Amino acid sequence: MFFVAGAKNAAAAGRGNERRSMYQKFRDVDILDKKKTVTALKPGEDRAIFLGLGMILSSVMMYFVLGITILRSYADSVWTAEGVCVVHNSTVTADMNCSYNCGSDCWRVSKYPCLQVYVSINNTGRVSRLSHNEETQDASSDCFYVPRCQRDSVAMHTVIMNISERLKVNQQVPCFYDPTEQQETVLLSRLFDHSVVFHSLLWPSCMITGGALIILMVKLTQYLSRLCEEIGKIKR
């Protein structure tokens, strides 16, 4: 009877050890899988963080380039007020000389007609000379439009005459002027207005926001992973 009970106890102990052994194997496999998952996620998380940092750095560089080009030109412009100009006079006064590139170290002279346009701003009686944009104002202080210099002077003449036909007398056109009246010239259009500044800043803003979101999501994922591990340890 003693031997039978001993055998039963030994069998029960063996089954218990076998169960603990199986449980330990499953637990080791589970821990190994978790380690493999963490090992696999670690490089992916690092790459995602580097991607987010790269996007943020690129956005900062784009902001810097835009700041010294478009934003600076927009801030330095004195033609900030928008109004309506009425054309008083649109005439071709004289031929202007320009030079074009005809090859390596080769420059030749061509001519284009100088169109002068005078307008009054907002029916105030103040008559000013109209210029196409800031580049035209810097290139010529007298002519409304400076075409790209080319060999065919007839083509440039045709372009200027078409502009003159469009700017007929008593026609109303939108314009930009200096509200302080320090600059007498009026512009028909601005190179860098509100819409240009908005669209130029839109893409770097989207990029820096996307980079910040990527880094935030990776950090949130890491936090939730650590939180789940701590909860699992407490339950065990």
PDB file of all heavy atoms in Angstrom, residues 104-143:
ATOM      1  N   SER A 104      29.141  82.120 -76.859  1.00  0.00           N
ATOM      2  CA  SER A 104      30.172  82.216 -75.842  1.00  0.00           C
ATOM      3  C   SER A 104      30.929  83.537 -75.982  1.00  0.00           C
ATOM      4  O   SER A 104      31.557  83.813 -77.007  1.00  0.00           O
ATOM      5  CB  SER A 104      31.139  81.031 -75.968  1.00  0.00           C
ATOM      6  OG  SER A 104      32.170  81.123 -75.017  1.00  0.00           O
ATOM      7  N   ASP A 105      30.850  84.348 -74.924  1.00  0.00           N
ATOM      8  CA  ASP A 105      31.506  85.665 -74.898  1.00  0.00           C
ATOM      9  C   ASP A 105      31.084  86.531 -76.078  1.00  0.00           C
ATOM     10  O   ASP A 105      31.896  87.269 -76.656  1.00  0.00           O
ATOM     11  CB  ASP A 105      33.034  85.512 -74.895  1.00  0.00           C
ATOM     12  CG  ASP A 105      33.535  84.798 -73.649  1.00  0.00           C
ATOM     13  OD1 ASP A 105      32.865  84.927 -72.598  1.00  0.00           O
ATOM     14  OD2 ASP A 105      34.568  84.111 -73.722  1.00  0.00           O
ATOM     15  N   CYS A 106      29.804  86.423 -76.435  1.00  0.00           N
ATOM     16  CA  CYS A 106      29.290  87.207 -77.559  1.00  0.00           C
ATOM     17  C   CYS A 106      28.017  87.922 -77.124  1.00  0.00           C
ATOM     18  O   CYS A 106      27.054  87.272 -76.701  1.00  0.00           O
ATOM     19  CB  CYS A 106      29.010  86.297 -78.766  1.00  0.00           C
ATOM     20  SG  CYS A 106      28.228  87.147 -80.165  1.00  0.00           S
ATOM     21  N   TRP A 107      28.015  89.215 -77.225  1.00  0.00           N
ATOM     22  CA  TRP A 107      26.857  90.033 -76.871  1.00  0.00           C
ATOM     23  C   TRP A 107      26.591  91.032 -77.994  1.00  0.00           C
ATOM     24  O   TRP A 107      27.518  91.662 -78.509  1.00  0.00           O
ATOM     25  CB  TRP A 107      27.097  90.787 -75.557  1.00  0.00           C
ATOM     26  CG  TRP A 107      27.213  89.875 -74.377  1.00  0.00           C
ATOM     27  CD1 TRP A 107      28.342  89.287 -73.900  1.00  0.00           C
ATOM     28  CD2 TRP A 107      26.147  89.432 -73.548  1.00  0.00           C
ATOM     29  NE1 TRP A 107      28.055  88.493 -72.824  1.00  0.00           N
ATOM     30  CE2 TRP A 107      26.706  88.574 -72.576  1.00  0.00           C
ATOM     31  CE3 TRP A 107      24.775  89.682 -73.525  1.00  0.00           C
ATOM     32  CZ2 TRP A 107      25.952  87.955 -71.602  1.00  0.00           C
ATOM     33  CZ3 TRP A 107      24.019  89.062 -72.546  1.00  0.00           C
ATOM     34  CH2 TRP A 107      24.594  88.221 -71.590  1.00  0.00           C
ATOM     35  N   ARG A 108      25.325  91.137 -78.358  1.00  0.00           N
ATOM     36  CA  ARG A 108      24.948  92.078 -79.409  1.00  0.00           C
ATOM     37  C   ARG A 108      23.814  92.972 -78.923  1.00  0.00           C
ATOM     38  O   ARG A 108      23.106  92.642 -77.979  1.00  0.00           O
ATOM     39  CB  ARG A 108      24.539  91.331 -80.680  1.00  0.00           C
ATOM     40  CG  ARG A 108      25.722  90.611 -81.346  1.00  0.00           C
ATOM     41  CD  ARG A 108      25.345  90.008 -82.677  1.00  0.00           C
ATOM     42  NE  ARG A 108      26.491  89.355 -83.290  1.00  0.00           N
ATOM     43  CZ  ARG A 108      26.450  88.706 -84.453  1.00  0.00           C
ATOM     44  NH1 ARG A 108      25.292  88.650 -85.122  1.00  0.00           N
ATOM     45  NH2 ARG A 108      27.532  88.137 -84.941  1.00  0.00           N
ATOM     46  N   VAL A 109      23.664  94.086 -79.599  1.00  0.00           N
ATOM     47  CA  VAL A 109      22.716  95.108 -79.181  1.00  0.00           C
ATOM     48  C   VAL A 109      21.451  95.026 -80.029  1.00  0.00           C
ATOM     49  O   VAL A 109      21.511  94.842 -81.252  1.00  0.00           O
ATOM     50  CB  VAL A 109      23.337  96.513 -79.298  1.00  0.00           C
ATOM     51  CG1 VAL A 109      22.323  97.583 -78.914  1.00  0.00           C
ATOM     52  CG2 VAL A 109      24.580  96.619 -78.424  1.00  0.00           C
ATOM     53  N   SER A 110      20.312  95.137 -79.352  1.00  0.00           N
ATOM     54  CA  SER A 110      19.027  95.210 -80.030  1.00  0.00           C
ATOM     55  C   SER A 110      18.248  96.383 -79.442  1.00  0.00           C
ATOM     56  O   SER A 110      18.719  97.049 -78.509  1.00  0.00           O
ATOM     57  CB  SER A 110      18.253  93.902 -79.877  1.00  0.00           C
ATOM     58  OG  SER A 110      17.047  93.950 -80.608  1.00  0.00           O
ATOM     59  N   LYS A 111      17.059  96.633 -79.970  1.00  0.00           N
ATOM     60  CA  LYS A 111      16.253  97.765 -79.515  1.00  0.00           C
ATOM     61  C   LYS A 111      14.808  97.347 -79.284  1.00  0.00           C
ATOM     62  O   LYS A 111      14.298  96.452 -79.963  1.00  0.00           O
ATOM     63  CB  LYS A 111      16.296  98.902 -80.532  1.00  0.00           C
ATOM     64  CG  LYS A 111      17.659  99.565 -80.669  1.00  0.00           C
ATOM     65  CD  LYS A 111      17.597 100.738 -81.626  1.00  0.00           C
ATOM     66  CE  LYS A 111      18.951 101.440 -81.720  1.00  0.00           C
ATOM     67  NZ  LYS A 111      18.915 102.621 -82.615  1.00  0.00           N
ATOM     68  N   TYR A 112      14.186  98.002 -78.315  1.00  0.00           N
ATOM     69  CA  TYR A 112      12.759  97.807 -78.060  1.00  0.00           C
ATOM     70  C   TYR A 112      12.138  99.175 -77.765  1.00  0.00           C
ATOM     71  O   TYR A 112      12.809 100.079 -77.249  1.00  0.00           O
ATOM     72  CB  TYR A 112      12.542  96.851 -76.878  1.00  0.00           C
ATOM     73  CG  TYR A 112      13.002  97.385 -75.547  1.00  0.00           C
ATOM     74  CD1 TYR A 112      12.145  98.094 -74.714  1.00  0.00           C
ATOM     75  CD2 TYR A 112      14.302  97.177 -75.123  1.00  0.00           C
ATOM     76  CE1 TYR A 112      12.561  98.587 -73.495  1.00  0.00           C
ATOM     77  CE2 TYR A 112      14.740  97.666 -73.901  1.00  0.00           C
ATOM     78  CZ  TYR A 112      13.869  98.365 -73.096  1.00  0.00           C
ATOM     79  OH  TYR A 112      14.292  98.853 -71.888  1.00  0.00           O
ATOM     80  N   PRO A 113      10.877  99.365 -78.094  1.00  0.00           N
ATOM     81  CA  PRO A 113      10.224 100.662 -77.839  1.00  0.00           C
ATOM     82  C   PRO A 113       9.914 100.839 -76.359  1.00  0.00           C
ATOM     83  O   PRO A 113       9.539  99.895 -75.666  1.00  0.00           O
ATOM     84  CB  PRO A 113       8.946 100.596 -78.676  1.00  0.00           C
ATOM     85  CG  PRO A 113       8.678  99.141 -78.819  1.00  0.00           C
ATOM     86  CD  PRO A 113      10.001  98.446 -78.834  1.00  0.00           C
ATOM     87  N   CYS A 114      10.083 102.039 -75.868  1.00  0.00           N
ATOM     88  CA  CYS A 114       9.808 102.361 -74.467  1.00  0.00           C
ATOM     89  C   CYS A 114       8.374 102.867 -74.352  1.00  0.00           C
ATOM     90  O   CYS A 114       8.030 103.922 -74.889  1.00  0.00           O
ATOM     91  CB  CYS A 114      10.795 103.411 -73.966  1.00  0.00           C
ATOM     92  SG  CYS A 114      10.526 103.895 -72.256  1.00  0.00           S
ATOM     93  N   LEU A 115       7.562 102.106 -73.636  1.00  0.00           N
ATOM     94  CA  LEU A 115       6.165 102.475 -73.418  1.00  0.00           C
ATOM     95  C   LEU A 115       6.035 103.145 -72.062  1.00  0.00           C
ATOM     96  O   LEU A 115       6.376 102.570 -71.024  1.00  0.00           O
ATOM     97  CB  LEU A 115       5.273 101.235 -73.483  1.00  0.00           C
ATOM     98  CG  LEU A 115       3.796 101.436 -73.165  1.00  0.00           C
ATOM     99  CD1 LEU A 115       3.138 102.349 -74.206  1.00  0.00           C
ATOM    100  CD2 LEU A 115       3.075 100.088 -73.081  1.00  0.00           C
ATOM    101  N   GLN A 116       5.500 104.351 -72.057  1.00  0.00           N
ATOM    102  CA  GLN A 116       5.262 105.076 -70.814  1.00  0.00           C
ATOM    103  C   GLN A 116       3.762 105.190 -70.571  1.00  0.00           C
ATOM    104  O   GLN A 116       3.014 105.581 -71.470  1.00  0.00           O
ATOM    105  CB  GLN A 116       5.885 106.477 -70.868  1.00  0.00           C
ATOM    106  CG  GLN A 116       7.400 106.468 -70.809  1.00  0.00           C
ATOM    107  CD  GLN A 116       7.990 107.855 -70.704  1.00  0.00           C
ATOM    108  OE1 GLN A 116       7.288 108.855 -70.902  1.00  0.00           O
ATOM    109  NE2 GLN A 116       9.276 107.936 -70.389  1.00  0.00           N
ATOM    110  N   VAL A 117       3.362 104.833 -69.362  1.00  0.00           N
ATOM    111  CA  VAL A 117       1.949 104.841 -68.983  1.00  0.00           C
ATOM    112  C   VAL A 117       1.797 105.676 -67.727  1.00  0.00           C
ATOM    113  O   VAL A 117       2.509 105.465 -66.730  1.00  0.00           O
ATOM    114  CB  VAL A 117       1.418 103.412 -68.743  1.00  0.00           C
ATOM    115  CG1 VAL A 117      -0.051 103.450 -68.378  1.00  0.00           C
ATOM    116  CG2 VAL A 117       1.646 102.537 -69.972  1.00  0.00           C
ATOM    117  N   TYR A 118       0.872 106.625 -67.759  1.00  0.00           N
ATOM    118  CA  TYR A 118       0.584 107.474 -66.609  1.00  0.00           C
ATOM    119  C   TYR A 118      -0.864 107.248 -66.166  1.00  0.00           C
ATOM    120  O   TYR A 118      -1.772 107.160 -67.010  1.00  0.00           O
ATOM    121  CB  TYR A 118       0.810 108.945 -66.941  1.00  0.00           C
ATOM    122  CG  TYR A 118       2.274 109.281 -67.118  1.00  0.00           C
ATOM    123  CD1 TYR A 118       2.872 109.222 -68.372  1.00  0.00           C
ATOM    124  CD2 TYR A 118       3.054 109.653 -66.031  1.00  0.00           C
ATOM    125  CE1 TYR A 118       4.221 109.533 -68.537  1.00  0.00           C
ATOM    126  CE2 TYR A 118       4.398 109.969 -66.186  1.00  0.00           C
ATOM    127  CZ  TYR A 118       4.972 109.895 -67.440  1.00  0.00           C
ATOM    128  OH  TYR A 118       6.305 110.191 -67.594  1.00  0.00           O
ATOM    129  N   VAL A 119      -1.043 107.124 -64.849  1.00  0.00           N
ATOM    130  CA  VAL A 119      -2.361 106.818 -64.291  1.00  0.00           C
ATOM    131  C   VAL A 119      -2.634 107.743 -63.115  1.00  0.00           C
ATOM    132  O   VAL A 119      -1.726 108.361 -62.542  1.00  0.00           O
ATOM    133  CB  VAL A 119      -2.435 105.348 -63.822  1.00  0.00           C
ATOM    134  CG1 VAL A 119      -2.270 104.384 -64.987  1.00  0.00           C
ATOM    135  CG2 VAL A 119      -1.379 105.076 -62.749  1.00  0.00           C
ATOM    136  N   SER A 120      -3.905 107.807 -62.755  1.00  0.00           N
ATOM    137  CA  SER A 120      -4.319 108.490 -61.522  1.00  0.00           C
ATOM    138  C   SER A 120      -4.841 107.433 -60.557  1.00  0.00           C
ATOM    139  O   SER A 120      -5.557 106.506 -60.954  1.00  0.00           O
ATOM    140  CB  SER A 120      -5.405 109.524 -61.807  1.00  0.00           C
ATOM    141  OG  SER A 120      -6.575 108.897 -62.304  1.00  0.00           O
ATOM    142  N   ILE A 121      -4.505 107.593 -59.275  1.00  0.00           N
ATOM    143  CA  ILE A 121      -4.806 106.575 -58.264  1.00  0.00           C
ATOM    144  C   ILE A 121      -6.115 106.910 -57.576  1.00  0.00           C
ATOM    145  O   ILE A 121      -6.259 108.012 -57.005  1.00  0.00           O
ATOM    146  CB  ILE A 121      -3.663 106.485 -57.238  1.00  0.00           C
ATOM    147  CG1 ILE A 121      -2.328 106.271 -57.943  1.00  0.00           C
ATOM    148  CG2 ILE A 121      -3.922 105.384 -56.225  1.00  0.00           C
ATOM    149  CD1 ILE A 121      -1.143 106.398 -57.028  1.00  0.00           C
ATOM    150  N   ASN A 122      -7.061 105.980 -57.614  1.00  0.00           N
ATOM    151  CA  ASN A 122      -8.332 106.102 -56.893  1.00  0.00           C
ATOM    152  C   ASN A 122      -9.065 107.425 -57.180  1.00  0.00           C
ATOM    153  O   ASN A 122      -9.725 107.983 -56.302  1.00  0.00           O
ATOM    154  CB  ASN A 122      -8.110 105.968 -55.379  1.00  0.00           C
ATOM    155  CG  ASN A 122      -7.572 104.604 -54.999  1.00  0.00           C
ATOM    156  OD1 ASN A 122      -7.838 103.607 -55.674  1.00  0.00           O
ATOM    157  ND2 ASN A 122      -6.806 104.548 -53.923  1.00  0.00           N
ATOM    158  N   ASN A 123      -8.928 107.906 -58.400  1.00  0.00           N
ATOM    159  CA  ASN A 123      -9.612 109.153 -58.807  1.00  0.00           C
ATOM    160  C   ASN A 123      -9.285 110.331 -57.900  1.00  0.00           C
ATOM    161  O   ASN A 123     -10.117 111.206 -57.651  1.00  0.00           O
ATOM    162  CB  ASN A 123     -11.131 108.943 -58.852  1.00  0.00           C
ATOM    163  CG  ASN A 123     -11.535 107.947 -59.928  1.00  0.00           C
ATOM    164  OD1 ASN A 123     -10.932 107.919 -61.004  1.00  0.00           O
ATOM    165  ND2 ASN A 123     -12.540 107.142 -59.645  1.00  0.00           N
ATOM    166  N   THR A 124      -8.060 110.352 -57.383  1.00  0.00           N
ATOM    167  CA  THR A 124      -7.649 111.451 -56.495  1.00  0.00           C
ATOM    168  C   THR A 124      -7.017 112.607 -57.261  1.00  0.00           C
ATOM    169  O   THR A 124      -6.761 113.657 -56.667  1.00  0.00           O
ATOM    170  CB  THR A 124      -6.651 110.930 -55.456  1.00  0.00           C
ATOM    171  OG1 THR A 124      -5.517 110.364 -56.141  1.00  0.00           O
ATOM    172  CG2 THR A 124      -7.286 109.867 -54.575  1.00  0.00           C
ATOM    173  N   GLY A 125      -6.744 112.403 -58.533  1.00  0.00           N
ATOM    174  CA  GLY A 125      -6.077 113.441 -59.301  1.00  0.00           C
ATOM    175  C   GLY A 125      -4.572 113.356 -59.249  1.00  0.00           C
ATOM    176  O   GLY A 125      -3.873 114.066 -59.976  1.00  0.00           O
ATOM    177  N   ARG A 126      -4.034 112.473 -58.393  1.00  0.00           N
ATOM    178  CA  ARG A 126      -2.585 112.288 -58.317  1.00  0.00           C
ATOM    179  C   ARG A 126      -2.146 111.411 -59.492  1.00  0.00           C
ATOM    180  O   ARG A 126      -2.523 110.251 -59.591  1.00  0.00           O
ATOM    181  CB  ARG A 126      -2.215 111.632 -56.987  1.00  0.00           C
ATOM    182  CG  ARG A 126      -0.751 111.206 -56.892  1.00  0.00           C
ATOM    183  CD  ARG A 126      -0.539 110.327 -55.677  1.00  0.00           C
ATOM    184  NE  ARG A 126       0.743 109.646 -55.726  1.00  0.00           N
ATOM    185  CZ  ARG A 126       1.111 108.680 -54.888  1.00  0.00           C
ATOM    186  NH1 ARG A 126       0.275 108.275 -53.936  1.00  0.00           N
ATOM    187  NH2 ARG A 126       2.293 108.116 -55.002  1.00  0.00           N
ATOM    188  N   VAL A 127      -1.354 111.993 -60.399  1.00  0.00           N
ATOM    189  CA  VAL A 127      -0.898 111.289 -61.592  1.00  0.00           C
ATOM    190  C   VAL A 127       0.495 110.714 -61.334  1.00  0.00           C
ATOM    191  O   VAL A 127       1.395 111.433 -60.887  1.00  0.00           O
ATOM    192  CB  VAL A 127      -0.875 112.217 -62.820  1.00  0.00           C
ATOM    193  CG1 VAL A 127      -0.366 111.479 -64.047  1.00  0.00           C
ATOM    194  CG2 VAL A 127      -2.260 112.788 -63.078  1.00  0.00           C
ATOM    195  N   SER A 128       0.634 109.407 -61.597  1.00  0.00           N
ATOM    196  CA  SER A 128       1.908 108.715 -61.385  1.00  0.00           C
ATOM    197  C   SER A 128       2.209 107.835 -62.583  1.00  0.00           C
ATOM    198  O   SER A 128       1.312 107.471 -63.346  1.00  0.00           O
ATOM    199  CB  SER A 128       1.869 107.866 -60.108  1.00  0.00           C
ATOM    200  OG  SER A 128       1.560 108.653 -58.979  1.00  0.00           O
ATOM    201  N   ARG A 129       3.477 107.511 -62.686  1.00  0.00           N
ATOM    202  CA  ARG A 129       3.882 106.610 -63.763  1.00  0.00           C
ATOM    203  C   ARG A 129       3.644 105.166 -63.351  1.00  0.00           C
ATOM    204  O   ARG A 129       3.950 104.777 -62.226  1.00  0.00           O
ATOM    205  CB  ARG A 129       5.359 106.823 -64.111  1.00  0.00           C
ATOM    206  CG  ARG A 129       5.809 106.063 -65.368  1.00  0.00           C
ATOM    207  CD  ARG A 129       7.272 106.341 -65.652  1.00  0.00           C
ATOM    208  NE  ARG A 129       8.114 105.924 -64.541  1.00  0.00           N
ATOM    209  CZ  ARG A 129       8.533 104.669 -64.366  1.00  0.00           C
ATOM    210  NH1 ARG A 129       8.153 103.710 -65.207  1.00  0.00           N
ATOM    211  NH2 ARG A 129       9.290 104.375 -63.331  1.00  0.00           N
ATOM    212  N   LEU A 130       3.110 104.387 -64.275  1.00  0.00           N
ATOM    213  CA  LEU A 130       2.786 102.984 -64.001  1.00  0.00           C
ATOM    214  C   LEU A 130       3.909 102.094 -64.508  1.00  0.00           C
ATOM    215  O   LEU A 130       4.389 102.259 -65.632  1.00  0.00           O
ATOM    216  CB  LEU A 130       1.473 102.605 -64.686  1.00  0.00           C
ATOM    217  CG  LEU A 130       0.968 101.174 -64.456  1.00  0.00           C
ATOM    218  CD1 LEU A 130       0.596 100.979 -62.989  1.00  0.00           C
ATOM    219  CD2 LEU A 130      -0.245 100.880 -65.347  1.00  0.00           C
ATOM    220  N   SER A 131       4.325 101.155 -63.656  1.00  0.00           N
ATOM    221  CA  SER A 131       5.342 100.167 -64.013  1.00  0.00           C
ATOM    222  C   SER A 131       4.772  98.774 -63.832  1.00  0.00           C
ATOM    223  O   SER A 131       3.841  98.555 -63.042  1.00  0.00           O
ATOM    224  CB  SER A 131       6.588 100.343 -63.136  1.00  0.00           C
ATOM    225  OG  SER A 131       7.626  99.477 -63.555  1.00  0.00           O
ATOM    226  N   HIS A 132       5.332  97.809 -64.568  1.00  0.00           N
ATOM    227  CA  HIS A 132       4.756  96.464 -64.556  1.00  0.00           C
ATOM    228  C   HIS A 132       4.934  95.784 -63.199  1.00  0.00           C
ATOM    229  O   HIS A 132       3.974  95.298 -62.608  1.00  0.00           O
ATOM    230  CB  HIS A 132       5.385  95.621 -65.667  1.00  0.00           C
ATOM    231  CG  HIS A 132       4.818  94.252 -65.788  1.00  0.00           C
ATOM    232  ND1 HIS A 132       5.568  93.109 -65.658  1.00  0.00           N
ATOM    233  CD2 HIS A 132       3.537  93.833 -65.988  1.00  0.00           C
ATOM    234  CE1 HIS A 132       4.788  92.052 -65.796  1.00  0.00           C
ATOM    235  NE2 HIS A 132       3.565  92.451 -66.004  1.00  0.00           N
ATOM    236  N   ASN A 133       6.154  95.725 -62.668  1.00  0.00           N
ATOM    237  CA  ASN A 133       6.416  95.133 -61.353  1.00  0.00           C
ATOM    238  C   ASN A 133       7.745  95.671 -60.822  1.00  0.00           C
ATOM    239  O   ASN A 133       8.336  96.599 -61.401  1.00  0.00           O
ATOM    240  CB  ASN A 133       6.428  93.603 -61.418  1.00  0.00           C
ATOM    241  CG  ASN A 133       7.356  93.072 -62.506  1.00  0.00           C
ATOM    242  OD1 ASN A 133       8.389  93.676 -62.811  1.00  0.00           O
ATOM    243  ND2 ASN A 133       6.987  91.961 -63.105  1.00  0.00           N
ATOM    244  N   GLU A 134       8.218  95.099 -59.714  1.00  0.00           N
ATOM    245  CA  GLU A 134       9.451  95.582 -59.093  1.00  0.00           C
ATOM    246  C   GLU A 134      10.664  95.399 -60.001  1.00  0.00           C
ATOM    247  O   GLU A 134      11.556  96.260 -60.023  1.00  0.00           O
ATOM    248  CB  GLU A 134       9.694  94.855 -57.759  1.00  0.00           C
ATOM    249  CG  GLU A 134       8.693  95.179 -56.676  1.00  0.00           C
ATOM    250  CD  GLU A 134       7.523  94.215 -56.659  1.00  0.00           C
ATOM    251  OE1 GLU A 134       7.319  93.543 -57.686  1.00  0.00           O
ATOM    252  OE2 GLU A 134       6.830  94.127 -55.631  1.00  0.00           O
ATOM    253  N   GLU A 135      10.726  94.285 -60.733  1.00  0.00           N
ATOM    254  CA  GLU A 135      11.860  94.065 -61.614  1.00  0.00           C
ATOM    255  C   GLU A 135      11.921  95.107 -62.722  1.00  0.00           C
ATOM    256  O   GLU A 135      13.001  95.612 -63.059  1.00  0.00           O
ATOM    257  CB  GLU A 135      11.792  92.656 -62.214  1.00  0.00           C
ATOM    258  CG  GLU A 135      12.136  91.549 -61.239  1.00  0.00           C
ATOM    259  CD  GLU A 135      12.180  90.192 -61.921  1.00  0.00           C
ATOM    260  OE1 GLU A 135      11.762  90.120 -63.097  1.00  0.00           O
ATOM    261  OE2 GLU A 135      12.638  89.229 -61.284  1.00  0.00           O
ATOM    262  N   THR A 136      10.776  95.424 -63.298  1.00  0.00           N
ATOM    263  CA  THR A 136      10.739  96.461 -64.328  1.00  0.00           C
ATOM    264  C   THR A 136      11.142  97.806 -63.761  1.00  0.00           C
ATOM    265  O   THR A 136      11.858  98.585 -64.403  1.00  0.00           O
ATOM    266  CB  THR A 136       9.341  96.550 -64.944  1.00  0.00           C
ATOM    267  OG1 THR A 136       8.951  95.261 -65.414  1.00  0.00           O
ATOM    268  CG2 THR A 136       9.311  97.521 -66.105  1.00  0.00           C
ATOM    269  N   GLN A 137      10.707  98.105 -62.554  1.00  0.00           N
ATOM    270  CA  GLN A 137      11.066  99.368 -61.908  1.00  0.00           C
ATOM    271  C   GLN A 137      12.568  99.457 -61.688  1.00  0.00           C
ATOM    272  O   GLN A 137      13.179 100.519 -61.874  1.00  0.00           O
ATOM    273  CB  GLN A 137      10.316  99.502 -60.583  1.00  0.00           C
ATOM    274  CG  GLN A 137      10.745 100.649 -59.712  1.00  0.00           C
ATOM    275  CD  GLN A 137      10.478 102.009 -60.341  1.00  0.00           C
ATOM    276  OE1 GLN A 137       9.656 102.126 -61.246  1.00  0.00           O
ATOM    277  NE2 GLN A 137      11.178 103.023 -59.869  1.00  0.00           N
ATOM    278  N   ASP A 138      13.197  98.349 -61.297  1.00  0.00           N
ATOM    279  CA  ASP A 138      14.643  98.354 -61.086  1.00  0.00           C
ATOM    280  C   ASP A 138      15.406  98.412 -62.404  1.00  0.00           C
ATOM    281  O   ASP A 138      16.494  99.002 -62.472  1.00  0.00           O
ATOM    282  CB  ASP A 138      15.059  97.112 -60.305  1.00  0.00           C
ATOM    283  CG  ASP A 138      14.503  97.107 -58.891  1.00  0.00           C
ATOM    284  OD1 ASP A 138      14.185  98.199 -58.381  1.00  0.00           O
ATOM    285  OD2 ASP A 138      14.357  96.011 -58.316  1.00  0.00           O
ATOM    286  N   ALA A 139      14.860  97.765 -63.458  1.00  0.00           N
ATOM    287  CA  ALA A 139      15.559  97.728 -64.743  1.00  0.00           C
ATOM    288  C   ALA A 139      15.453  99.047 -65.499  1.00  0.00           C
ATOM    289  O   ALA A 139      16.399  99.466 -66.166  1.00  0.00           O
ATOM    290  CB  ALA A 139      15.014  96.583 -65.601  1.00  0.00           C
ATOM    291  N   SER A 140      14.301  99.700 -65.428  1.00  0.00           N
ATOM    292  CA  SER A 140      14.095 100.945 -66.154  1.00  0.00           C
ATOM    293  C   SER A 140      13.168 101.844 -65.342  1.00  0.00           C
ATOM    294  O   SER A 140      12.096 101.414 -64.920  1.00  0.00           O
ATOM    295  CB  SER A 140      13.484 100.670 -67.533  1.00  0.00           C
ATOM    296  OG  SER A 140      13.184 101.868 -68.203  1.00  0.00           O
ATOM    297  N   SER A 141      13.600 103.072 -65.145  1.00  0.00           N
ATOM    298  CA  SER A 141      12.798 104.023 -64.374  1.00  0.00           C
ATOM    299  C   SER A 141      11.800 104.777 -65.242  1.00  0.00           C
ATOM    300  O   SER A 141      11.035 105.599 -64.717  1.00  0.00           O
ATOM    301  CB  SER A 141      13.716 105.025 -63.669  1.00  0.00           C
ATOM    302  OG  SER A 141      14.512 105.716 -64.627  1.00  0.00           O
ATOM    303  N   ASP A 142      11.813 104.524 -66.550  1.00  0.00           N
ATOM    304  CA  ASP A 142      10.940 105.264 -67.461  1.00  0.00           C
ATOM    305  C   ASP A 142       9.912 104.379 -68.163  1.00  0.00           C
ATOM    306  O   ASP A 142       8.785 104.819 -68.392  1.00  0.00           O
ATOM    307  CB  ASP A 142      11.768 105.997 -68.527  1.00  0.00           C
ATOM    308  CG  ASP A 142      12.671 107.057 -67.920  1.00  0.00           C
ATOM    309  OD1 ASP A 142      12.250 107.682 -66.921  1.00  0.00           O
ATOM    310  OD2 ASP A 142      13.789 107.248 -68.427  1.00  0.00           O
ATOM    311  N   CYS A 143      10.273 103.174 -68.496  1.00  0.00           N
ATOM    312  CA  CYS A 143       9.422 102.321 -69.327  1.00  0.00           C
ATOM    313  C   CYS A 143       8.505 101.467 -68.474  1.00  0.00           C
ATOM    314  O   CYS A 143       8.897 100.986 -67.392  1.00  0.00           O
ATOM    315  CB  CYS A 143      10.272 101.431 -70.237  1.00  0.00           C
ATOM    316  SG  CYS A 143      11.422 102.354 -71.282  1.00  0.00           S
TER     317      CYS A 143
END
